Amino acid sequence: MDNEPVDHSMNSRKSWLVVLWLSELLGQAEREAVLGDLTEYGDSGGRAIANVLGLVVRRKTAVLLDLRLWLSVAFVVLPVSFLLSAIAHATAGEGAVYSWMYLNNWDWALTRNAGFWLVLRETAMNFSITCLVLVCWSWSAGFLIGCFPNAVLQAGQNTFILLLAVSFLVNAPARFIHFWMFLHGLPLRPSLPDTHAPITANVFYHVFFPWIVLAILVILPALSGIRQGNRSLLLKRKMRVVLLTAATISVLVMLIHEPGFGFLLGARVGAWLWRNRNAMPVPPWLCCWPMFYFLAIGFGRYRRRKAAMAR
Amino acid sequence: MIGEFEYLILSSAARLGAEAYGASIRIEIEKATGRRCSIGALYTTLDRLEMKGFVTTWMGEPTRERGGRSKRRVQVTATGVKEASNFFRAISRISKGASWTTNRSTTR
């Protein structure tokens, strides 16, 4: 265990454990200096806890007062989490229908039908592309967040996960579109009978499956993107600009792709995007740039390793 | 102009010289003022002073009495010295003639 101040009573040991736990919320270097100061000064018990807690509160409050955090939340985190939750909802719905169709209603007799295999292949291909594009969008969004200044990165990341989860839980995008249509006096769609009733009645597909999709296709790739984005701060300026531009284009493509959300850019822009949607076939590779990025990284590592072995 | 607590930190760091770091500055301030100095106030003010360019800080070597942990060492910069002396002069000027500087009581 980490060295603690001289007082070895049970209470002191417990307090020191609390101090160690609280100090985890500080940066690495600051944690080291603070714990050292407490040990040298001989602070223990409640006073040590109060000291570390005070510093943690001050640090967290300072982040909340940082204008950069609020600007990043307003212009990147909020729209991106909103859009990703909408796309994840749609993907989860699509995935639930296919899974239910093929897994819950599997019939060996169908395997003798050539048409069955044709449809299955086509469905699997289309759904895989949908999932891949969602993963790449999530990664790109994470990359943008990872490029935030270090002072607001942690808060930006936590806000992103929180907003994503809340937006997904309450299906905020659908509610927002209804509200927008209501505000502009547009006729709301009449409520039709649920054609997927047998699927939504299944607890797994209704409750767990959407969250699994969100975790695997959105949260994990986004966290990886955040890490890579933060690491990109060490790259050369030109390279950073290229990566940042690719991530921004990918996120903007997501905005155009998602029907209805073009209206977030204003009614006129939204209407123009909607009219010209079919005239703008977005090449899938444009969104899938993270794959090329990882391939380039892998190739670079392979060449370095090969060069090292040759020496 | 710097604040009172910033002045206390700058003065203690200048007095301590090469031995200026978190814990030693804290002890100096507590001795001088007779008040408790919290680590939170000390470290956030140190950050502010560093941002303003009045001090530079760096992580020193780990020592045994600190449980093998490093110190955050502090050095006052030339700008810091100038700011602290400006503050001191202002305080000295404004205090001239005040009862506590002339040992005369003005309270009735």
Side-chain angles (χ1 to χ4, degrees):
Chain A
M1 198 178 88
D2 280 292
N3 287 346
E4 57 192 271
V6 197
D7 182 5
H8 288 289
S9 66
M10 188 55 90
N11 261 350
S12 169
R13 285 179 74 85
K14 279 182 190 161
S15 317
W16 190 247
L17 284 175
V18 177
V19 166
L20 288 177
W21 176 73
L22 280 173
S23 67
E24 292 286 345
L25 299 168
L26 299 170
Q28 177 97 34
E30 189 160 60
R31 179 174 191 261
E32 175 102 356
V34 167
L35 291 178
D37 282 356
L38 290 175
T39 311
E40 185 178 339
Y41 192 89
D43 265 344
S44 59
R47 199 163 167 218
I49 294 174
N51 265 312
V52 179
L53 186 64
L55 181 58
V56 169
V57 170
R58 277 166 190 262
R59 289 280 179 243
K60 299 295 171 199
T61 318
V63 172
L64 290 179
L65 295 176
D66 195 327
L67 184 66
R68 290 174 300 176
L69 173 70
W70 295 107
L71 288 176
S72 341
V73 167
F75 292 106
V76 181
V77 174
L78 185 64
V80 152
S81 53
F82 199 69
L83 280 171
L84 284 175
S85 75
I87 301 170
H89 241 292
T91 310
E94 203 181 325
V97 170
Y98 291 139
S99 304
W100 182 82
M101 256 169 59
Y102 288 109
L103 301 178
N104 294 48
N105 297 282
W106 184 259
D107 184 353
W108 288 104
L110 286 171
T111 56
R112 289 190 292 272
N113 187 324
F116 167 81
W117 287 110
L118 186 77
V119 173
L120 178 63
R121 203 167 47 234
E122 213 168 86
T123 307
M125 179 74 89
N126 288 340
F127 188 63
S128 304
I129 292 174
T130 305
C131 292
L132 180 71
V133 171
L134 177 56
V135 165
C136 291
W137 272 333
S138 308
W139 196 89
S140 301
F143 190 90
L144 281 185
I145 295 169
C147 292
F148 288 174
N150 275 333
V152 298
L153 178 63
Q154 190 66 44
Q157 180 185 312
N158 294 344
T159 314
F160 169 68
I161 302 289
L162 182 74
L163 285 177
L164 187 65
V166 170
S167 177
F168 191 75
L169 183 70
V170 301
N171 199 3
R175 287 174 199 278
F176 173 77
I177 290 176
H178 277 136
F179 181 65
W180 191 89
M181 289 169 83
F182 171 75
L183 271 187
H184 290 79
L186 295 170
L188 297 174
R189 271 190 311 182
S191 54
L192 300 166
D194 185 7
T195 48
H196 298 141
I199 306 166
T200 43
N202 186 315
V203 177
F204 174 74
Y205 289 121
H206 185 59
V207 180
F208 298 107
F209 190 74
W211 288 97
I212 294 171
V213 168
L214 184 77
I216 296 175
L217 301 184
V218 181
I219 295 179
L220 290 179
L223 289 177
S224 158
I226 291 173
R227 223 174 65 175
Q228 290 291 330
N230 190 240
R231 279 186 190 168
S232 77
L233 296 172
L234 303 170
L235 295 175
K236 283 180 187 162
R237 197 182 157 78
K238 270 185 193 169
M239 191 63 191
R240 275 187 59 205
V241 170
V242 170
L243 294 176
L244 207 58
T245 310
T248 310
I249 290 173
S250 188
V251 169
L252 286 176
V253 166
M254 175 166 70
L255 191 69
I256 296 166
H257 170 89
E258 200 42 31
F261 286 101
F263 288 95
L264 285 173
L265 301 170
R268 203 174 282 177
V269 180
W272 184 85
L273 285 173
W274 185 253
R275 273 199 311 275
N276 297 288
R277 203 161 166 263
N278 292 333
M280 291 186 288
V282 180
W285 55 262
L286 197 67
C287 310
C288 295
W289 73 277
M291 281 169 41
F292 299 102
Y293 174 70
F294 276 112
L295 274 177
I297 288 182
F299 184 64
R301 276 190 194 152
Y302 168 74
R303 275 186 63 184
R304 276 198 299 276
R305 200 174 298 162
K306 212 173 164 190
M309 279 168 73
R311 259 185 253 137
Chain B
M1 201 163 84
I2 55 171
E4 169 217 343
F5 192 60
E6 289 175 326
Y7 177 74
L8 289 175
I9 292 181
L10 285 175
S11 303
S12 336
R15 258 163 62 96
L16 289 162
E19 276 308 305
Y21 60 93
S24 65
I25 293 175
R26 195 174 157 211
I27 293 167
E28 282 286 303
I29 292 175
E30 289 191 353
K31 264 193 221 161
T33 60
R35 284 186 305 187
R36 286 196 164 172
C37 168
S38 79
I39 286 187
L42 178 68
Y43 275 75
T44 45
T45 312
L46 266 178
D47 283 355
R48 205 164 50 239
L49 287 171
E50 193 167 23
M51 257 169 50
K52 290 177 184 170
F54 299 159
V55 296
T56 49
T57 71
W58 69 97
M59 293 304 286
E61 68 295 338
T63 58
R64 245 184 97 205
E65 69 270 19
R66 293 170 60 82
R69 294 194 181 88
S70 307
K71 296 169 178 173
R72 183 178 177 185
R73 293 195 170 277
V74 181
Q75 190 178 32
V76 184
T77 62
T79 334
V81 170
K82 199 174 146 197
E83 279 298 316
S85 43
N86 283 345
F87 182 87
F88 178 72
R89 271 199 296 277
I91 290 293
S92 307
R93 273 199 299 273
I94 200 86
S95 308
K96 252 180 214 166
S99 61
W100 52 90
T101 58
T102 54
N103 291 329
R104 270 190 288 121
S105 171
T106 51
T107 49
R108 288 166 207 271

PDB file of all heavy atoms in Angstrom, chain A residues 232-260:
ATOM      1  N   SER A 232      -3.173  12.155 -31.032  1.00  0.00           N
ATOM      2  CA  SER A 232      -2.812  12.882 -32.264  1.00  0.00           C
ATOM      3  C   SER A 232      -2.203  14.243 -31.943  1.00  0.00           C
ATOM      4  O   SER A 232      -1.601  14.863 -32.816  1.00  0.00           O
ATOM      5  CB  SER A 232      -4.037  13.050 -33.162  1.00  0.00           C
ATOM      6  OG  SER A 232      -4.863  14.067 -32.656  1.00  0.00           O
ATOM      7  N   LEU A 233      -2.370  14.698 -30.685  1.00  0.00           N
ATOM      8  CA  LEU A 233      -1.779  15.985 -30.290  1.00  0.00           C
ATOM      9  C   LEU A 233      -0.247  15.913 -30.379  1.00  0.00           C
ATOM     10  O   LEU A 233       0.423  16.937 -30.439  1.00  0.00           O
ATOM     11  CB  LEU A 233      -2.203  16.365 -28.865  1.00  0.00           C
ATOM     12  CG  LEU A 233      -3.710  16.602 -28.669  1.00  0.00           C
ATOM     13  CD1 LEU A 233      -4.043  16.779 -27.210  1.00  0.00           C
ATOM     14  CD2 LEU A 233      -4.188  17.803 -29.462  1.00  0.00           C
ATOM     15  N   LEU A 234       0.283  14.672 -30.384  1.00  0.00           N
ATOM     16  CA  LEU A 234       1.735  14.507 -30.453  1.00  0.00           C
ATOM     17  C   LEU A 234       2.235  14.456 -31.900  1.00  0.00           C
ATOM     18  O   LEU A 234       3.433  14.502 -32.147  1.00  0.00           O
ATOM     19  CB  LEU A 234       2.154  13.205 -29.737  1.00  0.00           C
ATOM     20  CG  LEU A 234       1.733  13.076 -28.273  1.00  0.00           C
ATOM     21  CD1 LEU A 234       1.991  11.661 -27.778  1.00  0.00           C
ATOM     22  CD2 LEU A 234       2.489  14.075 -27.416  1.00  0.00           C
ATOM     23  N   LEU A 235       1.290  14.341 -32.849  1.00  0.00           N
ATOM     24  CA  LEU A 235       1.706  14.234 -34.255  1.00  0.00           C
ATOM     25  C   LEU A 235       2.095  15.597 -34.817  1.00  0.00           C
ATOM     26  O   LEU A 235       1.847  16.630 -34.201  1.00  0.00           O
ATOM     27  CB  LEU A 235       0.543  13.672 -35.090  1.00  0.00           C
ATOM     28  CG  LEU A 235       0.097  12.253 -34.779  1.00  0.00           C
ATOM     29  CD1 LEU A 235      -1.135  11.908 -35.594  1.00  0.00           C
ATOM     30  CD2 LEU A 235       1.210  11.258 -35.094  1.00  0.00           C
ATOM     31  N   LYS A 236       2.686  15.544 -36.029  1.00  0.00           N
ATOM     32  CA  LYS A 236       3.062  16.802 -36.687  1.00  0.00           C
ATOM     33  C   LYS A 236       1.795  17.578 -37.047  1.00  0.00           C
ATOM     34  O   LYS A 236       0.753  16.976 -37.312  1.00  0.00           O
ATOM     35  CB  LYS A 236       3.864  16.497 -37.955  1.00  0.00           C
ATOM     36  CG  LYS A 236       5.281  16.106 -37.648  1.00  0.00           C
ATOM     37  CD  LYS A 236       6.020  15.824 -38.923  1.00  0.00           C
ATOM     38  CE  LYS A 236       7.393  15.255 -38.602  1.00  0.00           C
ATOM     39  NZ  LYS A 236       7.989  14.590 -39.738  1.00  0.00           N
ATOM     40  N   ARG A 237       1.930  18.900 -37.094  1.00  0.00           N
ATOM     41  CA  ARG A 237       0.780  19.784 -37.303  1.00  0.00           C
ATOM     42  C   ARG A 237       0.001  19.433 -38.584  1.00  0.00           C
ATOM     43  O   ARG A 237      -1.228  19.336 -38.552  1.00  0.00           O
ATOM     44  CB  ARG A 237       1.278  21.223 -37.370  1.00  0.00           C
ATOM     45  CG  ARG A 237       0.209  22.245 -37.172  1.00  0.00           C
ATOM     46  CD  ARG A 237       0.785  23.629 -37.297  1.00  0.00           C
ATOM     47  NE  ARG A 237      -0.245  24.582 -37.634  1.00  0.00           N
ATOM     48  CZ  ARG A 237      -1.117  25.078 -36.792  1.00  0.00           C
ATOM     49  NH1 ARG A 237      -1.092  24.712 -35.531  1.00  0.00           N
ATOM     50  NH2 ARG A 237      -2.037  25.950 -37.173  1.00  0.00           N
ATOM     51  N   LYS A 238       0.756  19.195 -39.692  1.00  0.00           N
ATOM     52  CA  LYS A 238       0.097  18.909 -40.976  1.00  0.00           C
ATOM     53  C   LYS A 238      -0.756  17.647 -40.871  1.00  0.00           C
ATOM     54  O   LYS A 238      -1.885  17.592 -41.344  1.00  0.00           O
ATOM     55  CB  LYS A 238       1.157  18.712 -42.066  1.00  0.00           C
ATOM     56  CG  LYS A 238       1.526  19.999 -42.779  1.00  0.00           C
ATOM     57  CD  LYS A 238       2.472  19.702 -43.910  1.00  0.00           C
ATOM     58  CE  LYS A 238       3.087  20.991 -44.416  1.00  0.00           C
ATOM     59  NZ  LYS A 238       4.192  20.722 -45.332  1.00  0.00           N
ATOM     60  N   MET A 239      -0.178  16.631 -40.226  1.00  0.00           N
ATOM     61  CA  MET A 239      -0.865  15.351 -40.088  1.00  0.00           C
ATOM     62  C   MET A 239      -2.135  15.521 -39.254  1.00  0.00           C
ATOM     63  O   MET A 239      -3.194  14.968 -39.575  1.00  0.00           O
ATOM     64  CB  MET A 239       0.099  14.371 -39.404  1.00  0.00           C
ATOM     65  CG  MET A 239      -0.363  12.951 -39.416  1.00  0.00           C
ATOM     66  SD  MET A 239      -0.460  12.371 -41.110  1.00  0.00           S
ATOM     67  CE  MET A 239      -1.308  10.845 -40.869  1.00  0.00           C
ATOM     68  N   ARG A 240      -2.012  16.326 -38.193  1.00  0.00           N
ATOM     69  CA  ARG A 240      -3.162  16.575 -37.317  1.00  0.00           C
ATOM     70  C   ARG A 240      -4.283  17.253 -38.069  1.00  0.00           C
ATOM     71  O   ARG A 240      -5.456  16.910 -37.912  1.00  0.00           O
ATOM     72  CB  ARG A 240      -2.748  17.452 -36.135  1.00  0.00           C
ATOM     73  CG  ARG A 240      -2.179  16.670 -34.998  1.00  0.00           C
ATOM     74  CD  ARG A 240      -1.956  17.563 -33.814  1.00  0.00           C
ATOM     75  NE  ARG A 240      -3.183  18.189 -33.376  1.00  0.00           N
ATOM     76  CZ  ARG A 240      -3.243  19.326 -32.709  1.00  0.00           C
ATOM     77  NH1 ARG A 240      -2.154  19.963 -32.426  1.00  0.00           N
ATOM     78  NH2 ARG A 240      -4.387  19.819 -32.320  1.00  0.00           N
ATOM     79  N   VAL A 241      -3.915  18.223 -38.919  1.00  0.00           N
ATOM     80  CA  VAL A 241      -4.929  18.955 -39.694  1.00  0.00           C
ATOM     81  C   VAL A 241      -5.662  17.994 -40.623  1.00  0.00           C
ATOM     82  O   VAL A 241      -6.896  18.024 -40.727  1.00  0.00           O
ATOM     83  CB  VAL A 241      -4.277  20.116 -40.485  1.00  0.00           C
ATOM     84  CG1 VAL A 241      -5.257  20.733 -41.466  1.00  0.00           C
ATOM     85  CG2 VAL A 241      -3.757  21.183 -39.528  1.00  0.00           C
ATOM     86  N   VAL A 242      -4.902  17.084 -41.266  1.00  0.00           N
ATOM     87  CA  VAL A 242      -5.514  16.119 -42.192  1.00  0.00           C
ATOM     88  C   VAL A 242      -6.511  15.223 -41.430  1.00  0.00           C
ATOM     89  O   VAL A 242      -7.659  15.040 -41.851  1.00  0.00           O
ATOM     90  CB  VAL A 242      -4.418  15.253 -42.869  1.00  0.00           C
ATOM     91  CG1 VAL A 242      -5.032  14.085 -43.631  1.00  0.00           C
ATOM     92  CG2 VAL A 242      -3.577  16.110 -43.800  1.00  0.00           C
ATOM     93  N   LEU A 243      -6.069  14.702 -40.282  1.00  0.00           N
ATOM     94  CA  LEU A 243      -6.924  13.788 -39.505  1.00  0.00           C
ATOM     95  C   LEU A 243      -8.174  14.503 -38.990  1.00  0.00           C
ATOM     96  O   LEU A 243      -9.282  13.968 -39.042  1.00  0.00           O
ATOM     97  CB  LEU A 243      -6.137  13.200 -38.332  1.00  0.00           C
ATOM     98  CG  LEU A 243      -4.975  12.276 -38.699  1.00  0.00           C
ATOM     99  CD1 LEU A 243      -4.219  11.843 -37.467  1.00  0.00           C
ATOM    100  CD2 LEU A 243      -5.491  11.057 -39.456  1.00  0.00           C
ATOM    101  N   LEU A 244      -7.954  15.722 -38.511  1.00  0.00           N
ATOM    102  CA  LEU A 244      -9.070  16.500 -37.966  1.00  0.00           C
ATOM    103  C   LEU A 244     -10.082  16.827 -39.061  1.00  0.00           C
ATOM    104  O   LEU A 244     -11.297  16.758 -38.836  1.00  0.00           O
ATOM    105  CB  LEU A 244      -8.505  17.799 -37.349  1.00  0.00           C
ATOM    106  CG  LEU A 244      -9.308  18.419 -36.231  1.00  0.00           C
ATOM    107  CD1 LEU A 244      -9.491  17.445 -35.095  1.00  0.00           C
ATOM    108  CD2 LEU A 244      -8.596  19.670 -35.714  1.00  0.00           C
ATOM    109  N   THR A 245      -9.572  17.139 -40.262  1.00  0.00           N
ATOM    110  CA  THR A 245     -10.466  17.444 -41.389  1.00  0.00           C
ATOM    111  C   THR A 245     -11.271  16.198 -41.762  1.00  0.00           C
ATOM    112  O   THR A 245     -12.481  16.279 -41.985  1.00  0.00           O
ATOM    113  CB  THR A 245      -9.639  17.919 -42.612  1.00  0.00           C
ATOM    114  OG1 THR A 245      -8.750  18.929 -42.178  1.00  0.00           O
ATOM    115  CG2 THR A 245     -10.521  18.457 -43.713  1.00  0.00           C
ATOM    116  N   ALA A 246     -10.590  15.043 -41.814  1.00  0.00           N
ATOM    117  CA  ALA A 246     -11.282  13.797 -42.161  1.00  0.00           C
ATOM    118  C   ALA A 246     -12.383  13.495 -41.142  1.00  0.00           C
ATOM    119  O   ALA A 246     -13.504  13.127 -41.528  1.00  0.00           O
ATOM    120  CB  ALA A 246     -10.286  12.649 -42.213  1.00  0.00           C
ATOM    121  N   ALA A 247     -12.083  13.692 -39.859  1.00  0.00           N
ATOM    122  CA  ALA A 247     -13.077  13.423 -38.809  1.00  0.00           C
ATOM    123  C   ALA A 247     -14.250  14.386 -38.941  1.00  0.00           C
ATOM    124  O   ALA A 247     -15.416  13.982 -38.806  1.00  0.00           O
ATOM    125  CB  ALA A 247     -12.431  13.540 -37.429  1.00  0.00           C
ATOM    126  N   THR A 248     -13.957  15.659 -39.230  1.00  0.00           N
ATOM    127  CA  THR A 248     -15.021  16.661 -39.340  1.00  0.00           C
ATOM    128  C   THR A 248     -15.920  16.335 -40.535  1.00  0.00           C
ATOM    129  O   THR A 248     -17.157  16.385 -40.414  1.00  0.00           O
ATOM    130  CB  THR A 248     -14.412  18.070 -39.520  1.00  0.00           C
ATOM    131  OG1 THR A 248     -13.428  18.248 -38.519  1.00  0.00           O
ATOM    132  CG2 THR A 248     -15.452  19.151 -39.400  1.00  0.00           C
ATOM    133  N   ILE A 249     -15.308  15.970 -41.680  1.00  0.00           N
ATOM    134  CA  ILE A 249     -16.112  15.637 -42.867  1.00  0.00           C
ATOM    135  C   ILE A 249     -17.008  14.442 -42.560  1.00  0.00           C
ATOM    136  O   ILE A 249     -18.190  14.433 -42.882  1.00  0.00           O
ATOM    137  CB  ILE A 249     -15.187  15.338 -44.081  1.00  0.00           C
ATOM    138  CG1 ILE A 249     -14.520  16.637 -44.540  1.00  0.00           C
ATOM    139  CG2 ILE A 249     -15.976  14.715 -45.227  1.00  0.00           C
ATOM    140  CD1 ILE A 249     -13.472  16.452 -45.616  1.00  0.00           C
ATOM    141  N   SER A 250     -16.435  13.451 -41.896  1.00  0.00           N
ATOM    142  CA  SER A 250     -17.195  12.244 -41.569  1.00  0.00           C
ATOM    143  C   SER A 250     -18.419  12.586 -40.716  1.00  0.00           C
ATOM    144  O   SER A 250     -19.518  12.071 -40.953  1.00  0.00           O
ATOM    145  CB  SER A 250     -16.281  11.276 -40.831  1.00  0.00           C
ATOM    146  OG  SER A 250     -16.896  10.067 -40.656  1.00  0.00           O
ATOM    147  N   VAL A 251     -18.216  13.475 -39.730  1.00  0.00           N
ATOM    148  CA  VAL A 251     -19.327  13.853 -38.842  1.00  0.00           C
ATOM    149  C   VAL A 251     -20.358  14.677 -39.622  1.00  0.00           C
ATOM    150  O   VAL A 251     -21.574  14.514 -39.430  1.00  0.00           O
ATOM    151  CB  VAL A 251     -18.788  14.624 -37.617  1.00  0.00           C
ATOM    152  CG1 VAL A 251     -19.909  15.252 -36.828  1.00  0.00           C
ATOM    153  CG2 VAL A 251     -18.011  13.665 -36.711  1.00  0.00           C
ATOM    154  N   LEU A 252     -19.895  15.539 -40.537  1.00  0.00           N
ATOM    155  CA  LEU A 252     -20.834  16.343 -41.328  1.00  0.00           C
ATOM    156  C   LEU A 252     -21.650  15.455 -42.271  1.00  0.00           C
ATOM    157  O   LEU A 252     -22.843  15.685 -42.474  1.00  0.00           O
ATOM    158  CB  LEU A 252     -20.074  17.402 -42.136  1.00  0.00           C
ATOM    159  CG  LEU A 252     -19.547  18.579 -41.315  1.00  0.00           C
ATOM    160  CD1 LEU A 252     -18.725  19.511 -42.182  1.00  0.00           C
ATOM    161  CD2 LEU A 252     -20.687  19.342 -40.655  1.00  0.00           C
ATOM    162  N   VAL A 253     -20.990  14.414 -42.813  1.00  0.00           N
ATOM    163  CA  VAL A 253     -21.705  13.464 -43.672  1.00  0.00           C
ATOM    164  C   VAL A 253     -22.825  12.795 -42.872  1.00  0.00           C
ATOM    165  O   VAL A 253     -23.934  12.594 -43.367  1.00  0.00           O
ATOM    166  CB  VAL A 253     -20.720  12.410 -44.246  1.00  0.00           C
ATOM    167  CG1 VAL A 253     -21.468  11.239 -44.857  1.00  0.00           C
ATOM    168  CG2 VAL A 253     -19.807  13.044 -45.283  1.00  0.00           C
ATOM    169  N   MET A 254     -22.520  12.503 -41.608  1.00  0.00           N
ATOM    170  CA  MET A 254     -23.523  11.881 -40.731  1.00  0.00           C
ATOM    171  C   MET A 254     -24.737  12.804 -40.592  1.00  0.00           C
ATOM    172  O   MET A 254     -25.882  12.365 -40.609  1.00  0.00           O
ATOM    173  CB  MET A 254     -22.866  11.634 -39.369  1.00  0.00           C
ATOM    174  CG  MET A 254     -23.790  11.102 -38.319  1.00  0.00           C
ATOM    175  SD  MET A 254     -22.871  10.462 -36.915  1.00  0.00           S
ATOM    176  CE  MET A 254     -22.205  11.922 -36.182  1.00  0.00           C
ATOM    177  N   LEU A 255     -24.460  14.098 -40.494  1.00  0.00           N
ATOM    178  CA  LEU A 255     -25.521  15.097 -40.330  1.00  0.00           C
ATOM    179  C   LEU A 255     -26.412  15.131 -41.569  1.00  0.00           C
ATOM    180  O   LEU A 255     -27.644  15.214 -41.467  1.00  0.00           O
ATOM    181  CB  LEU A 255     -24.879  16.469 -40.107  1.00  0.00           C
ATOM    182  CG  LEU A 255     -25.779  17.587 -39.662  1.00  0.00           C
ATOM    183  CD1 LEU A 255     -26.250  17.342 -38.256  1.00  0.00           C
ATOM    184  CD2 LEU A 255     -25.049  18.915 -39.728  1.00  0.00           C
ATOM    185  N   ILE A 256     -25.786  15.044 -42.759  1.00  0.00           N
ATOM    186  CA  ILE A 256     -26.545  15.098 -44.007  1.00  0.00           C
ATOM    187  C   ILE A 256     -27.321  13.792 -44.199  1.00  0.00           C
ATOM    188  O   ILE A 256     -28.462  13.781 -44.617  1.00  0.00           O
ATOM    189  CB  ILE A 256     -25.590  15.321 -45.209  1.00  0.00           C
ATOM    190  CG1 ILE A 256     -24.916  16.686 -45.078  1.00  0.00           C
ATOM    191  CG2 ILE A 256     -26.346  15.231 -46.523  1.00  0.00           C
ATOM    192  CD1 ILE A 256     -23.725  16.856 -45.995  1.00  0.00           C
ATOM    193  N   HIS A 257     -26.642  12.696 -43.832  1.00  0.00           N
ATOM    194  CA  HIS A 257     -27.221  11.378 -44.066  1.00  0.00           C
ATOM    195  C   HIS A 257     -28.498  11.164 -43.259  1.00  0.00           C
ATOM    196  O   HIS A 257     -29.449  10.563 -43.745  1.00  0.00           O
ATOM    197  CB  HIS A 257     -26.184  10.309 -43.693  1.00  0.00           C
ATOM    198  CG  HIS A 257     -26.741   8.928 -43.665  1.00  0.00           C
ATOM    199  ND1 HIS A 257     -26.756   8.126 -44.773  1.00  0.00           N
ATOM    200  CD2 HIS A 257     -27.312   8.219 -42.664  1.00  0.00           C
ATOM    201  CE1 HIS A 257     -27.315   6.973 -44.442  1.00  0.00           C
ATOM    202  NE2 HIS A 257     -27.647   7.008 -43.168  1.00  0.00           N
ATOM    203  N   GLU A 258     -28.485  11.651 -42.034  1.00  0.00           N
ATOM    204  CA  GLU A 258     -29.595  11.361 -41.133  1.00  0.00           C
ATOM    205  C   GLU A 258     -30.813  12.204 -41.518  1.00  0.00           C
ATOM    206  O   GLU A 258     -30.803  13.423 -41.372  1.00  0.00           O
ATOM    207  CB  GLU A 258     -29.152  11.654 -39.698  1.00  0.00           C
ATOM    208  CG  GLU A 258     -29.958  10.995 -38.619  1.00  0.00           C
ATOM    209  CD  GLU A 258     -30.358   9.555 -38.866  1.00  0.00           C
ATOM    210  OE1 GLU A 258     -29.634   8.783 -39.543  1.00  0.00           O
ATOM    211  OE2 GLU A 258     -31.430   9.204 -38.378  1.00  0.00           O
ATOM    212  N   PRO A 259     -31.890  11.597 -42.054  1.00  0.00           N
ATOM    213  CA  PRO A 259     -33.011  12.386 -42.546  1.00  0.00           C
ATOM    214  C   PRO A 259     -33.635  13.217 -41.416  1.00  0.00           C
ATOM    215  O   PRO A 259     -33.794  12.750 -40.304  1.00  0.00           O
ATOM    216  CB  PRO A 259     -33.999  11.330 -43.055  1.00  0.00           C
ATOM    217  CG  PRO A 259     -33.578  10.061 -42.434  1.00  0.00           C
ATOM    218  CD  PRO A 259     -32.123  10.167 -42.149  1.00  0.00           C
ATOM    219  N   GLY A 260     -33.931  14.444 -41.751  1.00  0.00           N
ATOM    220  CA  GLY A 260     -34.605  15.300 -40.772  1.00  0.00           C
ATOM    221  C   GLY A 260     -33.649  16.157 -39.991  1.00  0.00           C
ATOM    222  O   GLY A 260     -33.967  17.278 -39.633  1.00  0.00           O
TER     223      GLY A 260
END
